[in-house]
């Protein structure tokens, strides 16, 4: 036996072992799906991909489940989600929003807060990354316009928070120290901040209205935003700014940038609407690219399941959301916006075959949508007019392809009209309103004409309760400029804004409609979500909650 | 007898001839038998201290020339080695089977140990004690055999696996709640090897045992040891095979077509519901499966070179059409030893090919809810469908109009080089490489209801995945005894590396269904810009690096000490401040029976007191949680073109570290009355620190409102008892019985630390599914996991409307009740408080009979089927007959109430299951060349005693929403098996 031989083996073994110990203590850091930020050096080519990310919050903020669209519509007087044969009770959330009984724990209270601050944090991060040189922008003009664009975008996000929550913390820094808890700002401070940011940014923004500025903040979309902020200045800051609002509207109207009214309102909302001259700020949506669940699915939320066959939808719609009958009753029967924006009557498959009720107590009956909803806690498939302002293309998936016109030219005109009306020029306002109405009354042009006197009248909306247990008739004639509020409803229904208009006209927390009774003026602000206060003790809850 | 006498005389005469020839030598002959007097073939007979040896022949006889006064060593696998000094020329030996409890070898981390020396809580189940019959995987072999290990078969799906839970819930968002499963030292899963190819399963239960596995040890370690090559000469061939069939364990009692028509006559149901047919939808989608399994094992060689090869084929069908697993596993294990065992090699090769098709539980749901008066097809032979109806598909059409299969290959090669350069020193290097590939395809025809509804015109998907795992372990062990002091020290280094790749394509719009998913390019969905198309691929790399060491010491086997430590890092924590974790353990044992004062206490064979403490970890299951990342995501319309923008992945948390479980275990092992009564008892307390949780952080300034961080603390306390008794042990009759009992108490102590504070003292989890759409469970800080939380109903009124108990304890009518979160209440808990099992084996001569029984007590189940199918308002789906029973003995449920989750559907789940019943008959040496034949009949999931109204009270009790008996669950089955084993 040769022991030495084995000892040699031993040495080899030990050497191999020790060398592998030294070599093999490195953790893998290869990533095949994401960049590790500290190992990533972007080039100029990456700039749009980095800056563009800041716009990515629009679709979630607006359209995702219980997002801004619902926060602006479901507590207002046009739209309701009643209990349906296939559900839609969902723990009472939609009912509570309709009745202004939402709690500080509600998903709808959290959703917009979180998604909007995500957008703000993203703007702050990208501004920081540009300022620190991580994003290499060498061109001075591009540098200035990029920062200005991000500040305008961030101001738009703050506008949403100002509108919904009011007293929110303003955070503009990305590189904050650990454990930093932002201070709360008053609604007026938030308003002032938005105005300041926009005024400072506008000089550096592009004045072009073209493909390159589509869906981005150019000068005109920033001015529209500024006009909207001024329009609501009285609500936000206590001081009305009608003149300033009108001034911004006039700048846009006289810009020569090429914005104009469509001949038909429907054109703004068709599937391929990206070239519409009426759109000032559009959120681009395309089901080949924006494929997120709920990216844009009003059709899924409003069509009954069997109506899949009407549009050959790729997914079975969920059925639920419909128009409040009292609101539909305000329409003039000759107003083409009624049939252009709503579905009612017998529904047919794309093959022409009449559709039937497939659920509930009316199973087997023809699916004829009627302007009647028995109760928020009970309805059948046939109940309630459904929404089709946004064209539902044949073969749509669960995401509609239509871009979402967040700001449109008709809105600028109507803002101007409202300012004129409120500052004593009712006839001037009426001219504009008539202009808007003309495209809706082509069959009966005489009805398009409104006078200053008309605009000073109350609302046609017959407010009051309409449930199985309570029926009241409060009417709307006492609402100041109520007729103008009606005009806004007819033109801008389903556009995720009704709450804001109702608040400005003092109606939101005062009137009853469908199953809703007023539940306190403090309901004109949403509460700060419980969890956000609990993680930042600097925040004080909005009054009343 | 005569034959033996002849042989004896023959041997004797040969012996005399030899003894006459060589004077200095002595010829010994003899016969070796087992305790049942059966001859043992191939027993090694060696003259001690020499290489002189032989083996016994087919009749157990041997002859050997030895020096006078020599000692013979008789060794045989599975038997206790005996040394006997030769006196005379005849030496007959009875070898005792190696079942002496204390000498039993227990597999522990990176080595083995005598059971008597073990100081931690380790359970061992040998193959002879496994459950018999058509088992799903290795887990089902030891169901009910290990105290504290809850193994549940919660699905009858032939592709499903057993769910495992050891000593309570251990994680909220960790890597998984599964234990580390090692197959011959290499990580795998319960079906890496065929159940028939397993020799023993060891379970490292407590922290002091599992700590040597560091970050992967928190949920315990299950060590599967496959059958090994024999060390002796000679060869052996074994065949084991069985056929089996299954039936559904229990059927839901739904309304039939006749019931529908009666209801129409009674005016309870609309006439339009009668579609003219009479269909038992469940029967339409079920089949009587015929399963067969074959296992062939070859062993052979000599002490220097030996091998084992097994081939296993299993063809298991499910009770539902088109569900199956077909698996072929081949394994070879080759050993070579050289230089007088100084250097030895082991090579193992495993190859597993599998084809399988699972079952979509949604189809089962459809079979349950589909109108029983609906014919399967209309008069034109077209499937009856209602495309306009929501969540309502013809179940048989779903199966017939779709086609799918996954096929996987697993190839594993491992090698171990063992060097014993000095006495007591063992250097080992183990390398392993496994590669797993999957290809899967799925097709829905142009007539499939989903493609019809979506206008897809046929839909195909094709996917592949590949995982490669490399493992290297270098260990050095040194054993030394100085007088009565025995030391063992082990040190090692481990490197594990994982690379996963995947790829998929979806397409639609096919001109023909002929080629299914096999010609995916034929579809024009991609070209046409359909939204159903998709392409994706991904790759992940992770590694795990570890250093470990263990020290064992004992004094006269009386005082036992063990300490171990592991220092480990994994790439999941790359970029954090400290990716390395250290996991120490220490344990002590006191063998009271080795004390001099016990010398006269003869009825106690063994009494050992153990105490241990150990730290283990659980790693996060996502990578790069600690660093800032940017990933392409959110699309952006940039100057007329869509681009992908760069989105941060999360709030990075550089403080992320391992979840750490600190466990104390106190145990007692005993064996009394010549091992007729033995068992063990363990008390444990495990505290998990740094539980990962998505902590709420302020937004602003954070990007998202939660950050994954460690802060939670959870505790599990429990008791485990195992008692084994042999009440009867006679020549022809044995009765062996084992009882296990365990209980566990769980508590979430806190979810906060100095950096992260939870914002509320509870969180909700679990989901009812749509349309009820609410959470099912609530976890309170300071409370236990698994609490059902919902509305509490205490009665119904005369119209059948719920009467609730509100938050203040008042009875409230349905119409007045505020269905708010505040009015929800604790309705029970889904985790059994007690688990017990009782296993019995009887042997009468060559007949054996065994019954294993197990049960779980004190827990609740949320019966989803009743919650959804007893509602009388939903008219579009079929209902349970029990929907028309009086609720609380008062009235049938009102048709005006929506579906809801309330206490009426939370039932007690207590059950006692007669699980595995086996009757076997063994024939020894029935014919030339055949050593043994065994026949058996066996049933699994035989009978359940329970008050639970659902299909099977054995529901999944892991995770954060235990006890949810969901609608789309593949029902469990009862299995009948007829099997045979041959040994050649």
């Amino acid at each position: 036996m040769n022991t030495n031989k084995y000892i040699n083996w031993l040495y080899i073994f030990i050497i191999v072992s020790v060398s592998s110990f030294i070599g093999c203590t490195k953790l893998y850091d290869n990533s095949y799906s994401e960049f590790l930020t500290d190992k990533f050096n972007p080039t100029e080519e990456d700039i749009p991909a980095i800056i563009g990310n800041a716009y990515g919050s629009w679709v979630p903020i607006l359209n995702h489940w219980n997002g801004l669209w619902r926060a602006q519509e479901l507590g207002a007087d046009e739209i309701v989600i009643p209990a349906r044969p296939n559900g839609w009770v969902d723990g009472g959330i939609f009912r509570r929003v309709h009745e202004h009984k939402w709690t500080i724990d509600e998903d709808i209270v959290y959703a917009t807060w979180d998604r909007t601050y995500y957008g703000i944090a993203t703007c702050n991060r990208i501004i920081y990354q540009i300022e620190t040189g991580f994003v290499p922008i060498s061109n001075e003009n591009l540098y200035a316009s990029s920062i200005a664009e991000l500040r305008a975008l961030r101001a738009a996000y703050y506008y949403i928070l100002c509108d919904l929550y009011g007293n929110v913390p303003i955070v503009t820094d990305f590189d904050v120290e650990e454990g930093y808890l932002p201070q709360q700002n008053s609604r007026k401070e938030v308003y002032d901040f938005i105005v300041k940011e926009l005024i400072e940014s506008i000089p550096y923004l592009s004045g072009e209205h073209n493909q390159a500025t589509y869906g981005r903040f150019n000068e005109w979309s920033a001015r529209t935003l500024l006009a909207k902020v001024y329009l609501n200045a009285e609500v936000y800051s206590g001081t009305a700014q009608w003149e300033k609002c009108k001034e911004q509207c006039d700048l846009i109207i006289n810009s020569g940038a090429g914005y104009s009214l469509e001949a038909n309102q429907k054109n703004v909302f068709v599937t391929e609407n990206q070239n519409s001259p009426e759109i000032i700020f559009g959120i681009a949506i395309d089901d080949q690219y924006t494929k997120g669940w709920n990216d844009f699915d009003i059709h899924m939320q409003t069509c009954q399941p069997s109506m899949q066959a009407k549009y050959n939808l790729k997914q079975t719609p969920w059925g639920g959301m419909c128009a409040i009958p009292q609101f539909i009753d305000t329409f003039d029967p000759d107003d083409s916006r009624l049939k252009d924006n709503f579905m009612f009557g017998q529904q047919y498959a794309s093959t022409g075959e009449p559709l039937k009720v497939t659920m509930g107590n009316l199973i087997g009956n023809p699916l004829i949508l009627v302007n009647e909803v028995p109760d928020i806690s009970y309805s059948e498939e046939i109940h309630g007019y459904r929404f089709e302002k946004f064209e539902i293309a044949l073969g749509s998936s669960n995401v509609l392809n239509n871009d979402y016109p967040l700001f449109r030219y008709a809105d600028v005109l109507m803002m101007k009209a409202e300012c004129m009306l409120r500052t004593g020029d009712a006839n001037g306002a009426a001219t504009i309103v008539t202009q808007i109405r003309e495209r809706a009354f082509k069959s009966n042009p005489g009805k398009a004409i409104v006078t200053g006197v008309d605009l000073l009248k109350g609302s046609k909306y017959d407010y009051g309760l309409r449930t199985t247990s309570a029926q009241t008739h409060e009417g709307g004639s006492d609402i100041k400029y109520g007729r103008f509020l009606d005009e806004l409803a007819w033109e801008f229904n389903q556009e995720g804004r009704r709450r804001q208009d109702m608040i400005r006209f003092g109606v939101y927390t005062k009137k009853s409609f469908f199953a809703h009774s007023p539940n306190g003026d403090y309901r004109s602000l949403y509460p700060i979500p419980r969890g956000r206060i609990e993680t930042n003790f600097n925040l004080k809850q909005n009054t009343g909650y | 007898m005569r034959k033996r006498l002849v042989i004896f005389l023959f041997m004797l005469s040969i012996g005399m001839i030899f003894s006459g020839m060589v004077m200095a030598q002595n010829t010994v002959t003899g016969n070796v038998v087992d305790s049942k007097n059966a001859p043992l073939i191939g027993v090694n007979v060696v003259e001690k201290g020499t290489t002189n040896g032989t083996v016994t022949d087919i009749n157990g006889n041997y002859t050997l020339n030895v020096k006078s006064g020599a000692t013979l060593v008789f060794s045989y696998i599975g038997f206790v080695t005996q040394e006997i000094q030769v006196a005379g020329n005849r030496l007959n030996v009875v070898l005792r089977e190696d079942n002496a409890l204390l000498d039993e070898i227990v597999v522990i981390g990176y080595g083995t140990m005598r059971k008597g020396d073990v100081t931690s809580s380790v359970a061992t189940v040998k193959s002879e004690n496994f459950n018999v019959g058509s088992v799903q995987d290795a887990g089902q072999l030891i169901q009910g055999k290990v105290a504290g290990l809850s193994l549940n078969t919660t699905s009858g799906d032939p592709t499903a696996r057993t769910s495992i839970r050891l000593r309570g819930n251990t994680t909220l968002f960790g890597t998984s709640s599964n234990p580390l499963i090692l197959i011959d030292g290499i990580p795998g899963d319960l079906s890496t090897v065929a159940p028939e190819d397993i020799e023993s399963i060891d379970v490292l239960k407590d922290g002091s045992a599992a700590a040597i596995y560091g970050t992967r040890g928190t949920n315990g370690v299950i060590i599967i040891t496959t059958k090994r090559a024999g060390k002796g000469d000679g060869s052996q061939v074994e065949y084991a095979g069985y056929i089996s069939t299954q039936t559904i364990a229990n059927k839901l009692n739904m309304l039939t077509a006749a019931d529908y028509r009666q209801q129409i006559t009674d005016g309870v149901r609309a006439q339009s519901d009668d579609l003219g047919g009479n269909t038992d939808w469940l029967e339409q989608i079920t089949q009587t499966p015929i399963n067969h399994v074959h296992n062939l094992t070859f062993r052979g060689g000599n002490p220097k070179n030996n091998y084992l090869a097994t081939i296993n084929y299993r063809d298991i069908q499910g009770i539902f059409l088109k569900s199956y697993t077909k698996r072929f596993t081949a394994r070879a294990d080759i050993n070579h030893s050289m230089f007088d065992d100084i250097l030895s090699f082991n090579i193992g090769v495993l190859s597993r090919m599998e084809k399988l098709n699972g079952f979509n539980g949604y189809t089962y749901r459809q079979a349950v809810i589909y109108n029983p008066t609906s014919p399967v097809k209309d008069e034109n032979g077209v499937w009856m469908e209602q495309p306009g109806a929501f969540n309502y598909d013809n179940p048989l059409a779903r199966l017939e109009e779709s086609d799918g299969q996954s096929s996987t290959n697993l190839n594993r090669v491992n090698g171990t080089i063992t060097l014993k350069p000095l006495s007591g020193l063992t250097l080992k290097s183990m390398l392993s490489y496994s590669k797993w590939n999957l290809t899967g395809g799925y097709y829905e025809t142009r007539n499939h209801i989903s493609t019809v509804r979506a206008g897809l015109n046929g839909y195909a998907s094709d996917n592949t995945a590949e995982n490669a795992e490399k493992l290297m372990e270098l260990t050095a062990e040194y054993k030394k005894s100085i007088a009565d002091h025995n030391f063992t020290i082990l040190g090692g280094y481990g490197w594990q590396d994982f690379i996963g790749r995947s790829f998929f394509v979806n397409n639609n719009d096919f001109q023909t269904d002929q080629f299914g998913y096999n010609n995916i390019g034929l579809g024009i969905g991609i070209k046409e810009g359909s939204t159903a198309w998709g392409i994706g691929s991904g790759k992940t790399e992770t590694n795990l690096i570890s250093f470990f060491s263990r020290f064992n010491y004992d004094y006269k086997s009386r005082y036992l000490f063990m300490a171990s430590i592991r220092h480990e890092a994994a790439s999941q924590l790359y970029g954090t401040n400290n990716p390395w974790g250290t996991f120490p353990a220490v344990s002590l044992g006191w063998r009271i029976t080795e004390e001099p004062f016990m010398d006269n206490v003869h009825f106690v064979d063994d009494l050992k007191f153990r105490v241990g403490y150990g730290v283990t970890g659980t790693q996060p299951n996502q990578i790069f949680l600690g660093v800032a990342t940017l990933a392409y995501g959110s699309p952006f319309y940039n100057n007329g073109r869509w681009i992908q923008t760069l989105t941060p992945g999360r709030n990075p948390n550089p403080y992320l570290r391992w979840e750490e479980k600190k466990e104390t275990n106190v145990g007692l092992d005993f064996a009394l009355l010549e091992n007729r009564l033995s068992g063990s008892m363990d008390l444990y307390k495990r505290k998990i620190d740094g539980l990962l949780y998505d902590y709420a952080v302020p937004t602003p300034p954070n990007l998202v409102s939660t950050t994954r961080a460690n802060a939670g603390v959870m505790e599990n306390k429990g008791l485990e008892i195992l008692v084994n008794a042999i009440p009867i042990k006679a020549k022809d009759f044995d009765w062996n019985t084992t009882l296990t009992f365990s209980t566990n108490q769980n508590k979430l102590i806190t979810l906060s630390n100095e950096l992260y504070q939870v914002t509320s003292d509870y969180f909700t989890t679990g989901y009812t599914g749509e349309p009820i759409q609410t959470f099912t469970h609530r976890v309170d800080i300071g409370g236990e996991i698994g609490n059902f939380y919902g509305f509490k109903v205490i009665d119904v009124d005369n119209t059948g409307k719920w009467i609730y108990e509100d938050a203040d304890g008042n009875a409230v009518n349905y119409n007045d009740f505020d269905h708010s979160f505040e009015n929800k209440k604790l309705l029970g808990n889904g985790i059994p408080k007690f688990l017990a099992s009782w296993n019995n084996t009887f042997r009468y001569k060559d007949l054996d009979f065994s019954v294993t029984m197990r049960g779980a007590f004190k827990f609740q189940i949320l019966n989803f089927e009743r919650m959804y199918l007893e509602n009388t308002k939903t008219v579009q789906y079929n209902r349970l007959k029990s929907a028309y029973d009086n609720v609380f003995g008062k009235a049938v449920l009102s048709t005006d109430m929506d579906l809801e989750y309330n206490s009426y559907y939370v039932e007690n789940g207590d059950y006692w299951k007669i699980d595995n019943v086996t009757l076997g008959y063994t024939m020894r040496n029935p014919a030339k060349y055949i050593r043994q034949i065994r026949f058996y009949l066996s049933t699994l999931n035989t009978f359940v005693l329970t008050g639970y109204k659902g299909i099977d009270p054995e529901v999944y009790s892991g995770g954060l929403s235990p006890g949810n008996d969901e609608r789309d669950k593949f029902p469990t089955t009862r299995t009948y098996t007829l099997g045979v084993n041959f040994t050649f």
Side-chain angles (χ1 to χ4, degrees), chain B residues 670-722:
Chain B
F670 62 92
L672 312 171
L673 308 168
E674 295 183 339
N675 295 331
R676 292 280 286 270
L677 185 65
S678 62
S680 58
M681 205 188 302
D682 282 284
L683 260 171
Y684 62 85
K685 182 172 166 182
R686 30 171 58 190
K687 194 168 169 187
I688 303 127
D689 270 351
L691 273 178
L692 286 173
Y693 185 66
D694 284 339
Y695 287 87
V697 292
T699 44
N702 284 288
L703 183 67
V704 287
S705 60
T706 59
T707 298
R708 190 154 291 185
N710 316 77
V713 179
M714 186 152 59
E715 187 181 79
N716 285 291
K717 286 190 287 199
L719 169 69
E720 292 162 353
I721 299 171
L722 181 141

Side-chain angles (χ1 to χ4, degrees), chain B residues 123-136:
Chain B
T124 304
V125 186
K126 303 270 185 216
S127 57
E128 56 267 28
N129 294 321
F130 286 164
N131 285 322
V132 177
S134 183
V135 295
Q136 273 178 346

